[in-house]
Amino acid sequence: MSTRATRPGMLHQKENAADAQAGKRQRTAAGSAARAPLSANAAPPAPDPAIEFAGRDDVDALLNEKMKGKNKMDYKGKSEQMMEYIKKLRACIKWLLEREDTNLAEIGKLNGLLEAAEKHHSEIVAQLKSAIEESKAINEELQRQYASLEENLKRVEAEKLDALRSYGDEKEARIAVEASRNEHLEDLRRIKLEEKRLNDQIKMLQDTNKRLQEYNTSLQQYNSNLQADATKNGETIAKLQKEKNTMVETMNGLKDHANSVKMQLDLAKSSQNEALKQKTDLLKEVDNLRGELQQVRDDRDHKLAEIHSLLADVSTYKEMTGKSVAELDNAMTRSTALEETCSSQAERIKTLELQLASANEKLKRSDLTTMETMTEYEKQKRMLEDLQLRLEEAEQQILDGENLRKRLHNTILELKGNIRVFCRVRPLLPNESGAVAYPKSGENLGRGIELTHNAQMYSFTFDKVFEQSASQEDVFIEISQLIQSALDGYKVCIFAYGQTGSGKTYTMMGNPELHDQKGLIPRSLEQIFQTSQALISQGWKYKMQASMLEIYNEAIRDLLATNRTTVQDGGASKYSIKHDANGNTHVSDLTIVDVSSINEVSSLLKRAAQSRSVGRTQMNEESSRSHCVFTLRIFGVNEGTDQQVQGVLNLIDLAGSERLNKSGATGDRLKETQAINKSLSCLSDVIFSIAKKEEHVPFRNSKLTYLLQPCLGGDSKTLMFVNLSPEVSSTGESICSLRFAARVNSCEIGIPRRQTQVRSLAQG
Ligand SMILES: Nc1ncnc2c1ncn2[C@@H]1O[C@H](COP(=O)(O)OP(=O)(O)OP(=O)(O)O)[C@@H](O)[C@H]1O
């Protein structure tokens, strides 16, 4: 009974179970000992099969049983009763012993079961403990993973933002590339139009060239029959001149356009490079994003696998024990949350992938656009190079044609023997209104000039007319070949004629200090020195001498004299003019300076300008009251061929040509105006006399005409500039000047002769 009572408490205590076992063994031994005296004292009576014990009540009934018989002395009866009772007791003890054995066996069995149950229980407890530990660890791990996932999520978010930003940048770059592509397309369209125009132009130029060649051939024929065809050739030259002007204008336009296209192409190239750089950066970023995306994906897969295994563990754990359900539920909730995070991350990854794919697509498109732009750019570049080549060729053709035209023109003029006349009109000053017009088309384009005076129009035609807009360089280009002739051994004379303030000094001298305003004298000298330097390689050596004088009131003044008195004292007797047999002019006592460089000539020009201004101040004169003559003598010898040439270049700035009544001069002023008028009218007498081919030409009537005798009457190449003031008030003067110039233009002074000889003969 006591064993049964203590069982529940002993379920958890193996030691107590062992004690109980020991107790059971003691009781068994006690039971055996209690039975032993019975068997030792007497043989145990055979059990009465009638005595049976069903339970405790039977035992209690036996123990409470009382002796029967009324006779106390009936010992026998009592003994028998006792015997009977003992038998019953023995049967009872036997029953109890049997029962105890059964119970002990039962207890032993139960103890075994209990031990097994306890063992199983301990195992389960241990498993539960380890499962709880594991669950805790998993829980911690899950929390860590959750934190890292959150971190990853933040990183992915940041990367996504970066990707979006770079996508925005890429989009902008693509838009820029597209815009530049559109610009290129527009340029291409313009270039194509330009190309077409150029082609037409080139065709036209080729035609012109062909015509020029034809013209050259015809001119050679014409040379044999020159007098008859002179007028016709003049017209053809005028046409060519016109065409040349058009061509030069067109070529200038083309040049500008080509330059602007080149600039645009350079710009496009730099923006292209920029776009390519951006593309490379984008590609790098995309690669990085891809790497990181892959990393995130791997993490996600890894965590998903972990979650799956955790879920499996949790379900196993859940099956095994009903405990920690709350923790499990908690873990499950976290796991679900993690799964949700994972799936949201997966969503984000998908979105990022989509963005990446679209960025890649755009990148591809941008690549394609860039490629197309590059191809287009290369094409345009080639086209531009081709156009430039053709432009250069066309320009060369124009130059060749132009040179040919000039040579032919010069040849014709030389053969005609006329004095050439160029007309130049100075720009209008502020507050002046102009009365000069020019033919805008026709054969007189660039050669004609029209003046309206008293409602009547006066038209004149010269070899060349320079409008107000003509620059110093434009003017010089036209005379540069004439200057070249001086180096070739010709006498060249260029003089400027016109009323005061019409631009004579500006044309002849200009401002030698300023590149744009340099006049013919400094430019001519620059060209002569440059060419003479270039001719050294062909064996030519040149020596040059410069002199500069002015004729004031019929007196010569030496502008290069270093002695001031000489300058001021220039009396008529001192500077006498002489011409030698070769038609060379010599002025006695005149300062002649050897010059070998442009710098030397520049300082001479400065010295002359100073002398003129000193003279001007002392005499209270204006420069226009004197004629200024610059002379450069050129002696050339070719060391290889022993050929000698002797050229002269005379550049003359005449005094103003206004009429007396207009000048309103009195006294000294009247005297000098008369002197000027005298010399200019002498000049006009000489011209008219030459024009009429009179036998006697009055060269000696004035210092100026006598000085210019070899130029006007002999074999020199002479060019006169007639300078005009364009304002209305000068129209009368201008018409006079133009009439005079027209007369000069019609003068035939003979065919220019080159002064050349072989050195040995000259020396002999
Ligand atoms: N083609 C031109 N372009 C610009 N300015 C000019 C031009 N021609 C003349 N001028 C200006 O007009 C003014 C008068 O010119 P300039 O002194 O050359 O005339 P001129 O005929 O030599 O006069 P003068 O007979 O009094 O010496 C000057 O201020 C000059 O700079």
Side-chain angles (χ1 to χ4, degrees):
M1 292 295 282
S2 65
T3 309
R4 197 177 289 141
T6 54
R7 186 182 291 163
M10 292 169 72
L11 266 173
H12 305 286
Q13 296 167 359
K14 274 190 173 178
E15 304 85 351
N16 293 353
D19 289 348
Q21 198 67 21
K24 183 192 87 179
R25 279 195 294 277
Q26 279 169 1
R27 273 195 303 275
T28 311
S32 304
R35 276 192 305 253
L38 281 174
S39 53
N41 292 335
D48 193 343
I51 301 168
E52 278 198 2
F53 291 89
R56 195 183 169 100
D57 292 342
D58 292 343
V59 175
D60 286 339
L62 180 64
L63 289 175
N64 293 329
E65 206 172 295
K66 299 221 169 99
M67 287 292 162
K68 295 171 187 170
K70 294 172 186 168
N71 191 359
K72 286 184 185 176
M73 299 307 283
D74 190 7
Y75 294 108
K76 196 184 169 193
K78 280 184 183 180
S79 167
E80 281 172 359
Q81 274 184 6
M82 282 292 284
M83 284 300 285
E84 191 60 31
Y85 188 66
I86 287 165
K87 264 187 201 174
K88 282 181 185 173
L89 280 175
R90 277 185 180 152
C92 180
I93 288 165
K94 191 184 169 203
W95 176 74
L96 281 170
L97 284 172
E98 277 170 4
R99 194 161 167 189
E100 191 183 4
D101 286 341
T102 316
N103 282 342
L104 282 171
E106 186 69 23
I107 284 166
K109 213 165 109 188
L110 282 170
N111 276 337
L113 282 171
L114 188 63
E115 268 176 38
E118 277 174 354
K119 202 176 158 196
H120 184 62
H121 173 77
S122 314
E123 280 172 5
I124 285 171
V125 167
Q127 280 174 357
L128 272 174
K129 269 185 188 168
S130 83
I132 285 165
E133 288 301 317
E134 274 175 17
S135 171
K136 274 183 188 165
I138 287 164
N139 204 9
E140 278 169 10
E141 180 62 24
L142 279 174
Q143 274 177 349
R144 266 201 308 278
Q145 284 169 3
Y146 176 67
S148 100
L149 274 174
E150 261 186 347
E151 235 173 65
N152 281 346
L153 189 63
K154 275 182 196 159
R155 211 175 57 233
V156 167
E157 283 276 349
E159 284 162 5
K160 189 187 111 191
L161 283 176
D162 283 348
L164 280 172
R165 220 173 290 130
S166 69
Y167 166 63
D169 291 347
E170 187 272 334
K171 200 175 170 184
E172 267 174 29
R174 189 172 62 81
I175 288 166
V177 165
E178 268 174 7
S180 97
R181 183 171 148 265
N182 288 343
E183 273 173 24
H184 285 156
L185 284 174
E186 183 55 27
D187 284 345
L188 181 70
R189 195 183 61 77
R190 276 207 303 273
I191 283 175
K192 274 181 182 161
L193 282 175
E194 200 55 46
E195 186 193 26
K196 194 170 167 292
R197 207 161 67 80
L198 268 174
N199 280 335
D200 293 345
Q201 192 64 42
I202 285 163
K203 209 166 155 236
M204 203 178 86
L205 284 170
Q206 282 167 348
D207 288 345
T208 312
N209 196 25
K210 210 172 147 200
R211 273 210 306 280
L212 274 171
Q213 280 169 357
E214 283 166 6
Y215 172 66
N216 190 18
T217 321
S218 75
L219 202 68
Q220 279 166 358
Q221 288 169 359
Y222 160 83
N223 276 344
S224 60
N225 200 8
L226 188 68
Q227 291 298 330
D229 293 334
T231 319
K232 198 178 153 198
N233 275 337
E235 285 167 4
T236 318
I237 284 162
K239 267 185 208 155
L240 281 171
Q241 175 68 32
K242 186 181 143 197
E243 279 170 9
K244 180 216 119 190
N245 288 341
T246 323
M247 280 184 235
V248 165
E249 269 173 26
T250 318
M251 292 322 282
N252 285 341
L254 283 175
K255 255 187 198 167
D256 289 349
H257 182 73
N259 284 340
S260 87
V261 168
K262 205 175 170 196
M263 269 167 68
Q264 282 170 352
L265 277 177
D266 287 346
L267 261 174
K269 202 175 175 183
S270 69
S271 77
Q272 192 114 20
N273 287 341
E274 188 63 28
L276 279 173
K277 206 170 144 254
Q278 282 177 354
K279 189 196 115 188
T280 320
D281 292 348
L282 269 176
L283 278 173
K284 265 189 210 154
E285 272 182 39
V286 166
D287 281 348
N288 289 344
L289 271 177
R290 272 195 190 128
E292 283 170 15
L293 200 59
Q294 191 53 44
Q295 180 79 26
V296 171
R297 268 192 205 143
D298 291 348
D299 284 356
R300 183 202 59 182
D301 292 344
H302 185 64
K303 273 156 197 162
L304 274 174
E306 278 180 0
I307 284 166
H308 285 313
S309 90
L310 276 174
L311 278 174
D313 287 350
V314 166
S315 57
T316 320
Y317 176 65
K318 212 175 176 183
E319 274 169 20
M320 281 174 64
T321 175
K323 289 184 178 180
S324 305
V325 172
E327 287 172 16
L328 271 176
D329 284 347
N330 213 349
M332 280 296 282
T333 318
R334 281 187 201 141
S335 157
T336 319
L338 274 175
E339 269 182 344
E340 274 170 11
T341 315
C342 273
S343 68
S344 84
Q345 265 194 352
E347 279 299 314
R348 282 210 180 93
I349 287 167
K350 261 188 203 162
T351 323
L352 273 177
E353 274 178 344
L354 279 175
Q355 283 172 357
L356 196 66
S358 98
N360 272 336
E361 189 57 36
K362 275 167 192 161
L363 204 62
K364 266 187 206 160
R365 279 210 301 276
S366 159
D367 272 359
L368 271 174
T369 319
T370 312
M371 286 292 286
E372 277 170 14
T373 317
M374 283 290 282
T375 322
E376 200 55 60
Y377 169 76
E378 289 299 328
K379 213 169 120 191
Q380 279 189 12
K381 204 173 152 193
R382 277 199 300 278
M383 200 185 290
L384 190 69
E385 281 167 2
D386 188 40
L387 280 175
Q388 272 173 342
L389 213 71
R390 284 159 75 179
L391 190 69
E392 276 166 21
E393 280 171 10
E395 278 178 338
Q396 193 51 49
Q397 277 181 0
I398 286 182
L399 276 180
D400 293 348
E402 178 63 12
N403 285 338
L404 181 67
R405 183 198 69 78
K406 276 186 189 163
R407 272 210 311 276
L408 294 173
H409 182 70
N410 285 341
T411 312
I412 291 164
L413 290 174
E414 279 164 14
L415 289 171
K416 275 166 77 180
N418 285 9
I419 297 178
R420 268 168 275 178
V421 174
F422 286 179
C423 173
R424 186 180 193 187
V425 184
R426 73 152 168 80
L428 276 169
L429 299 174
N431 307 325
E432 282 182 352
S433 58
V436 181
Y438 311 91
K440 293 291 169 215
S441 61
E443 61 182 66
N444 286 341
L445 180 72
R447 297 177 59 228
I449 182 164
E450 292 157 1
L451 278 93
T452 312
H453 186 52
N454 295 335
Q456 198 178 337
M457 196 173 83
Y458 298 85
S459 297
F460 297 88
T461 309
F462 299 103
D463 294 297
K464 178 86 196 161
V465 172
F466 296 101
E467 298 184 18
Q468 284 100 312
S469 56
S471 68
Q472 296 284 60
E473 191 175 355
D474 294 337
V475 175
F476 180 70
I477 285 170
E478 288 296 324
I479 64 140
S480 64
Q481 286 217 336
L482 196 59
I483 302 299
Q484 178 63 35
S485 318
L487 267 180
D488 295 341
Y490 288 95
K491 288 196 196 82
V492 174
C493 177
I494 302 175
F495 59 92
Y497 178 93
Q499 71 174 115
T500 298
S502 58
K504 298 183 296 293
T505 310
Y506 185 84
T507 300
M508 296 310 288
M509 188 62 80
N511 185 348
E513 308 291 322
L514 297 174
H515 177 74
D516 286 348
Q517 293 185 25
K518 269 191 263 183
L520 296 188
I521 296 176
R523 283 174 197 267
S524 303
L525 294 170
E526 273 173 23
Q527 179 179 312
I528 281 174
F529 280 109
Q530 275 166 10
T531 316
S532 66
Q533 285 296 313
L535 286 171
I536 289 175
S537 62
Q538 293 176 26
W540 284 101
K541 270 189 181 168
Y542 287 93
K543 185 183 164 200
M544 306 198 201
Q545 292 179 329
S547 61
M548 210 164 170
L549 59 86
E550 68 177 342
I551 303 171
Y552 171 72
N553 277 356
E554 278 302 284
I556 289 176
R557 296 172 67 221
D558 184 357
L559 292 177
L560 298 184
T562 42
N563 182 339
R564 294 268 176 267
T565 324
T566 315
V567 176
Q568 292 158 25
D569 273 0
S573 56
K574 193 164 186 188
Y575 300 107
S576 56
I577 302 166
K578 285 201 174 74
H579 304 294
D580 66 17
N582 290 324
N584 295 318
T585 306
H586 302 278
V587 180
S588 62
D589 297 323
L590 190 70
T591 310
I592 293 173
V593 182
D594 286 342
V595 284
S596 54
S597 72
I598 185 66
N599 289 341
E600 284 176 6
V601 177
S602 297
S603 60
L604 279 190
L605 292 179
K606 268 187 207 154
R607 203 203 298 177
Q610 228 169 0
S611 296
R612 282 192 91 183
S613 63
V614 168
R616 222 180 295 158
T617 328
Q618 284 172 348
M619 292 177 278
N620 196 18
E621 294 301 334
E622 295 295 325
S623 63
S624 62
R625 311 320 296 160
S626 67
H627 309 296
C628 176
V629 181
F630 173 85
T631 306
L632 186 77
R633 291 180 190 285
I634 303 165
F635 306 95
V637 57
N638 192 308
E639 298 290 343
T641 60
D642 277 340
Q643 197 184 11
Q644 284 186 328
V645 291
Q646 206 177 319
V648 182
L649 178 65
N650 282 306
L651 301 164
I652 303 158
D653 179 9
L654 293 177
S657 63
E658 49 278 290
R659 288 164 293 174
L660 263 183
N661 56 356
K662 193 189 175 193
S663 68
T666 53
D668 283 352
R669 182 82 176 174
L670 176 68
K671 198 179 145 202
E672 79 200 12
T673 309
Q674 282 167 339
I676 293 162
N677 278 353
K678 187 188 165 227
S679 63
L680 287 177
S681 84
C682 286
L683 182 64
S684 99
D685 290 346
V686 165
I687 302 274
F688 292 153
S689 169
I690 295 169
K692 284 189 218 155
K693 294 192 170 51
E694 287 173 355
E695 255 181 41
H696 175 71
V697 180
F699 288 114
R700 285 183 176 266
N701 282 2
S702 76
K703 285 251 164 36
L704 178 70
T705 47
Y706 191 47
L707 193 74
L708 295 180
Q709 185 177 354
C711 304
L712 299 170
D715 46 11
S716 74
K717 295 185 177 189
T718 304
L719 173 79
M720 182 178 107
F721 270 93
V722 55
N723 288 90
L724 299 184
S725 300
E727 82 272 14
V728 179
S729 59
S730 296
T731 322
E733 273 309 322
S734 296
I735 290 170
C736 285
S737 296
L738 288 168
R739 279 185 181 143
F740 176 70
R743 204 67 179 264
V744 171
N745 206 191
S746 67
C747 274
E748 288 176 27
I749 55 168
I751 297 166
R753 194 167 53 85
R754 196 175 169 213
Q755 263 194 304
T756 174
Q757 55 198 315
V758 177
R759 184 154 54 172
S760 54
L761 281 177
Q763 280 163 352

